[in-house]
Amino acid sequence: MSEPTVIVPAKAETPFRRLVSEFADDKLAVGGAVVLSIILLVALFAPLISPQNPYDLSKLDILDSRMPPGSKSMDGITFWLGTDGQGRDMLSGIFYGLRTSLAVGVFSGICAMMLGMAMGLIAAYVGGRTETLIMRLVDLQLSFPTILIALILLAVLGQGVGKIILALIIVQWSYYARIIRGTALVERRREYVEAAICLGLSKPRIIFSHVLPNCMPPMIVIGTVQVAGAIALEATLSFLGIGLPITEPSLGLLIANGFEYLLSGKYWISFFPGIALLVTIISINLVGDQLRDILNPRLQR
Amino acid sequence: MTVFIVRRLMQSVVILLVMSVIVFLGVFAIGNPVDILISPDADQMERERAIRALGLDLPLWEQYFVFLRNAAVGDLGRSFVFNEPALRLIFERMPATLELAFTAVVLSLVVGIPLGLYAGLKPQTATSKGIMAGSIVGFSLPSFWQGLMFIMVFAVMLGWLPSTGRGQVGSFLGIKSSLFTRDGLAHVILPAINLALGNAALIIRLTRAGVRETLLQDYVKFARAKGLTHRRVVGVHVLKNILIPLVTVVGLEIGGLIAFAVVTESIFAWPGMGKLIIDSINQLDRPVMVAYLMMIVFLFIVINLVVDVLYSVIDPRVRLQDVKG
């Protein structure tokens, strides 16, 4: 995707560039990546591009409530996707909701990845009882569905933004831990590690700057899948009323708000946030699928 | 085999005990049910009497031992809200949940296996590609939103099916279920499809992958060479061999469905234990929360054990052993 006017001299093939061109082989995945970038930009710049600040109560007019998509407000703003029960513009609500949903999903994903990596590396390197303990915990956790674990945690911890992020981290870390332990056990027997040991490098240095980078490809792949899962799980919990509080509405809460109006045929309050959620999840999964194919060493050409 | 089962049962007891500590401590250390259950107008005397009646004045560890002693005889406390034994409350709601989960499993198998079989046998046709694309959407669709859309289309717009409740409950051979009445069946359709959809997508993909792998095996080629009909090759030789992964997944998914019924029950106001737990969390009805969580963990341990044993029965190559560790 370089500028068409410049004739690019044949560049040396770096691993990164090869990955980019391999990624571009699948049109569906590229489409997913484009949609995902747009969603990320929208979430990032939500306050700038929203027609209305949906949480500024002084801007809301109760007379504008439950207007169908495309209708105009008292002061001339068009509600492209209609309004909710409080006269809030749905489009703006979705922009802000995406922001919350993505922030919670990505942040918990990154924390879970770090926790899982630490535990997995400890298991692989320390071995013995520590390894048994960690891996039994992982096995135990993976034998229960994520929603059940989240439910147990939220019942135990109570509710709130911090609590739900914590619950999402605890739900996800075991996936990362299992994968990285497996990868690290393979990598530590490779020749480059032996070479590093012969050079007299310290153990932490070998682990963090030699083994870890080589464990990253599978982590990135499950990372995408896990973030999509986390976003869906958070939306589900928020829908059930045990997730994020009303002050920080995510897409799940927007959908829940529309539930009561659904039965009287006012579909748009639940419909559009759901579409936004669905598109986000599908585009992350498409990108993740393609990443899995190009990063899988067994399929490498 | 016996050793394996005994060991697993012992592990299960340990897991249950650990769970009971976690759940009890967590659930009972957070939130103050006194504020919720006793009206703010109550005077000091009334408050104290209520606290003593509910056993909330004892130190936490003492409350735990009382809880454990009672749990051993099947008493997991009384619901603050319903003033009924929590366990009985859960057993009352359980048939509705099991009925829903059972219907969803059957539905996903009946839909998933034929579609997966077709997509595996004729992978290049447009129908097969459509089936596979559909299964991806089925995977990605958040189940709660999909349920809402079902209500919107089939209950509100078309008015074909009812959207809330369990309907009339019929009785057959002493089993009470809404599957035995017309009204009950109409009520169960939407929630069951809602619960089954993700599962059906999974079964389609598993069946397809299994079929494509099995078709390349020598015994299938041999069966063909022997001149067996296509029908017999697929129906006997292929289908039998894809059963192994299917049984495992379906077994484990039954547990998943019972857990996910929480979502479906909340949407369709299905009076099962999933709806009960959500209501209890919102009302801080702690005995019911504890009873539900203990019950579901127990259920899961049983399901996992049964699946492991079944697995070894179906596939003689699998020998059950305890992993050294």
Side-chain angles (χ1 to χ4, degrees):
Chain A
M1 305 288 166
S2 53
E3 294 121 286
T5 47
V6 185
I7 296 162
V8 190
K11 283 177 187 164
E13 197 186 60
T14 63
F16 179 72
R17 213 167 280 142
R18 199 185 66 228
L19 283 183
V20 170
S21 78
E22 273 179 18
F23 187 89
D25 279 349
D26 186 5
K27 294 284 169 294
L28 210 56
V30 174
V34 170
V35 172
L36 188 59
S37 326
I38 295 174
I39 290 174
L40 285 174
L41 286 176
V42 164
L44 204 59
F45 296 110
L48 297 177
I49 54 174
S50 297
Q52 183 192 59
N53 179 356
Y55 303 107
D56 182 358
L57 290 178
S58 65
K59 293 275 170 58
L60 302 180
D61 191 337
I62 199 73
L63 290 174
D64 287 338
S65 67
R66 301 194 294 280
M67 301 241 275
S71 46
K72 281 201 188 311
S73 77
M74 300 294 171
D75 33 317
I77 312 175
T78 309
F79 298 127
W80 295 110
L81 301 182
T83 60
D84 72 359
Q86 272 116 31
R88 208 171 272 155
D89 174 34
M90 283 313 298
L91 188 65
S92 315
I94 289 172
F95 285 173
Y96 276 78
L98 265 178
R99 199 175 156 87
T100 318
S101 288
L102 281 171
V104 169
V106 172
F107 181 71
S108 66
I110 291 173
C111 293
M113 189 190 266
M114 300 215 284
L115 178 65
M117 275 193 320
M119 298 299 261
L121 283 176
I122 290 173
Y125 265 87
V126 178
R129 285 189 177 218
T130 323
E131 181 177 25
T132 314
L133 186 71
I134 293 176
M135 294 327 284
R136 276 284 157 90
L137 200 62
V138 167
D139 286 341
L140 180 68
Q141 211 189 315
L142 290 180
S143 66
F144 290 91
T146 51
I147 186 149
L148 188 63
I149 296 181
L151 213 59
I152 294 175
L153 288 169
L154 289 173
V156 167
L157 298 170
Q159 285 150 288
V161 186
K163 308 266 173 61
I164 187 140
I165 290 177
L166 187 63
L168 289 175
I169 294 172
I170 296 178
V171 163
Q172 295 177 74
W173 76 272
S174 48
Y175 292 88
Y176 294 104
R178 170 176 275 188
I179 301 284
I180 198 147
R181 171 177 162 269
T183 326
L185 283 179
V186 174
E187 292 295 330
R188 66 179 291 191
R189 295 202 190 91
R190 290 277 170 88
E191 277 135 9
Y192 68 85
V193 176
E194 276 171 26
I197 295 171
C198 293
L199 281 174
L201 298 184
S202 67
K203 212 167 184 184
R205 176 136 182 227
I206 294 175
I207 294 176
F208 288 108
S209 58
H210 295 263
V211 175
L212 195 57
N214 283 293
C215 295
M216 282 321 276
M219 300 302 279
I220 294 168
V221 174
I222 43 168
T224 54
V225 177
Q226 288 294 317
V227 167
I231 291 174
L233 185 59
E234 177 273 312
T236 306
L237 295 169
S238 296
F239 173 78
L240 291 174
I242 52 174
L244 292 173
I246 308 223
T247 47
E248 237 120 335
S250 68
L251 292 175
L253 205 64
L254 289 180
I255 296 171
N257 284 341
F259 190 17
E260 50 180 314
Y261 302 112
L262 198 68
L263 294 175
S264 50
K266 298 187 176 59
Y267 68 91
W268 58 89
I269 309 178
S270 283
F271 181 72
F272 292 119
I275 292 286
L277 184 63
L278 183 62
V279 170
T280 310
I281 293 174
I282 290 185
S283 59
I284 296 178
N285 282 339
L286 284 176
V287 172
D289 265 3
Q290 180 69 356
L291 280 180
R292 186 187 58 210
D293 288 348
I294 63 175
L295 291 177
N296 188 345
R298 265 181 290 173
L299 296 176
Q300 227 153 50
R301 283 148 271 178
Chain B
M1 178 98 163
T2 325
V3 177
F4 170 81
I5 294 177
V6 170
R7 272 210 159 169
R8 278 287 293 269
L9 283 177
M10 273 157 61
Q11 280 176 11
S12 310
V13 173
V14 175
I15 293 173
L16 271 177
L17 272 177
V18 172
M19 268 301 294
S20 78
V21 176
I22 296 174
V23 167
F24 180 88
L25 277 184
V27 170
F28 278 70
I30 288 162
N32 187 0
V34 178
D35 298 338
I36 293 163
L37 291 158
I38 303 165
S39 102
D41 307 332
D43 60 34
Q44 201 57 36
M45 284 272 279
E46 278 176 289
R47 270 182 76 93
E48 264 161 30
R49 195 159 353 114
I51 289 174
R52 205 158 311 135
L54 295 169
L56 296 169
D57 55 339
L58 300 171
L60 210 53
W61 61 269
E62 216 166 301
Q63 282 188 44
Y64 175 70
F65 280 109
V66 171
F67 163 79
L68 208 57
R69 206 174 53 220
N70 291 337
V73 292
D75 173 11
L76 288 171
R78 289 178 88 81
S79 159
F80 295 155
V81 176
F82 297 93
N83 197 23
E84 253 187 75
L87 208 57
R88 195 207 292 168
L89 216 52
I90 289 184
F91 278 125
E92 266 170 22
R93 309 291 181 99
M94 204 189 255
T97 299
L98 292 181
E99 170 187 303
L100 187 61
F102 172 73
T103 317
V105 170
V106 172
L107 208 63
S108 56
L109 286 174
V110 169
V111 173
I113 293 183
L115 288 182
L117 213 53
Y118 182 85
L121 292 172
K122 301 195 171 106
Q124 296 308 325
T125 60
T127 321
S128 296
K129 288 189 175 148
I131 293 172
M132 294 319 286
S135 77
I136 293 180
V137 176
F139 256 157
S140 305
L141 263 180
S143 109
F144 70 100
W145 185 68
Q146 170 232 324
L148 290 188
M149 292 302 112
F150 274 179
I151 291 185
M152 188 181 93
V153 174
F154 295 106
V156 179
M157 287 180 172
L158 299 171
W160 289 351
L161 294 165
S163 68
T164 53
R166 195 181 173 197
Q168 208 182 342
V169 176
S171 179
F172 180 71
L173 295 176
I175 305 168
K176 286 201 174 79
S177 165
S178 51
L179 295 177
F180 301 134
T181 64
R182 245 185 98 87
D183 180 51
L185 270 180
H187 278 85
V188 88
I189 293 176
L190 283 185
I193 295 179
N194 172 241
L195 198 54
L197 208 68
N199 211 16
L202 184 67
I203 289 177
I204 289 177
R205 299 184 79 89
L206 268 177
T207 311
R208 176 177 175 270
V211 168
R212 300 207 51 190
E213 210 172 286
T214 315
L215 280 181
L216 300 175
Q217 301 287 325
D218 287 343
Y219 57 80
V220 171
K221 285 185 196 150
F222 181 70
R224 286 241 170 90
K226 216 162 66 167
L228 297 181
T229 56
H230 183 63
R231 199 192 185 86
R232 194 171 159 78
V233 172
V234 172
V236 176
H237 296 117
V238 173
L239 210 54
K240 233 181 178 173
N241 282 285
I242 59 172
L243 268 183
I244 295 166
L246 273 181
V247 168
T248 332
V249 171
V250 169
L252 294 176
E253 283 300 302
I254 290 176
L257 286 179
I258 292 174
F260 250 97
V262 170
V263 180
T264 305
E265 286 174 8
S266 301
I267 298 169
F268 293 93
W270 188 264
M273 48 184 195
K275 192 165 162 20
L276 183 69
I277 178 71
I278 296 294
D279 293 345
S280 307
I281 291 178
N282 285 327
Q283 290 163 326
L284 280 183
D285 193 350
R286 300 189 293 188
V288 178
M289 279 154 78
V290 173
Y292 172 86
L293 295 178
M294 297 305 296
M295 197 64 218
I296 200 122
V297 170
F298 179 71
L299 218 56
F300 256 85
I301 290 172
V302 172
I303 290 174
N304 286 347
L305 186 63
V306 170
V307 170
D308 276 351
V309 172
L310 259 187
Y311 198 50
S312 76
V313 173
I314 295 180
D315 189 348
R317 288 170 300 182
V318 176
R319 291 272 165 273
L320 293 180
Q321 296 169 338
D322 200 38
V323 190
K324 292 263 181 300

